[in-house]
């Protein structure tokens, strides 16, 4: 089973580790998410050295198939948000998660 951390748990953990009040940490986290969403919506990439990139990826126009009706239809090209971890981040997870 995969362990999952909620936003509330993340805020509490950061608050404890930094001795910053929960409301301030929550405002900072919400602000961080808002900046990422706004930047990606405007087509910008966010590069965080040692952590990774938040960027838009492009999906090309393609034909898809409705198997129930046995018909094909065209799906337009679109962009979607993506996170690509840095090599340092990938190596850290790889080395510390060996079981």
């Amino acid at each position: 089973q995969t362990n999952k951390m909620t936003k509330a748990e993340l805020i509490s953990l950061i608050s404890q580790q930094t001795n910053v009040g929960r409301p301030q940490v929550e405002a900072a986290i919400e602000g961080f998410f808002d900046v990422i969403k706004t930047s990606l919506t405007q087509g910008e990439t966010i590069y965080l050295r040692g952590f990774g990139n938040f960027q838009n990826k492009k999906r090309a126009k393609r034909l898809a198939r409705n198997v129930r009706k046995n018909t094909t239809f065209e799906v337009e090209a679109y962009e979607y948000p993506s996170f690509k971890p840095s090599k340092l981040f990938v190596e850290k997870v790889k080395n510390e998660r060996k079981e």
Side-chain angles (χ1 to χ4, degrees):
Q1 182 175 345
T2 306
N3 294 332
K4 295 180 182 179
M5 183 182 297
T6 65
K7 188 174 10 174
E9 292 169 337
L10 176 66
I11 290 168
S12 292
L13 188 61
I14 292 172
S15 180
Q16 291 169 7
Q17 289 182 354
T18 61
N19 289 327
V20 175
R22 201 175 186 304
Q24 292 87 352
V25 172
E26 185 172 0
I29 295 290
E30 290 295 339
F32 177 72
F33 290 152
D34 287 344
V35 168
I36 290 174
K37 289 176 198 172
T38 301
S39 297
L40 292 177
T41 300
Q42 295 171 352
E44 298 174 18
T45 295
I46 298 175
Y47 173 70
L48 303 173
R49 185 182 308 266
F51 187 71
N53 296 335
F54 292 93
Q55 61 196 9
N56 288 326
K57 287 195 171 184
K58 295 179 182 174
R59 183 77 193 243
K61 182 164 78 169
R62 63 189 171 92
L63 288 177
R65 196 165 156 251
N66 182 337
V67 289
R68 283 190 176 167
K69 296 180 181 177
N70 198 23
T71 58
T72 59
F73 59 97
E74 196 171 89
V75 177
E76 292 297 321
Y78 62 93
E79 289 188 359
Y80 61 96
S82 173
F83 174 73
K84 180 180 179 190
S86 72
K87 289 179 184 176
L88 289 171
F89 186 13
V90 170
E91 286 300 316
K92 183 173 176 66
V93 170
K94 205 185 286 186
N95 293 331
E96 293 184 17
R97 288 292 303 167
K98 290 183 180 175
E99 294 179 11

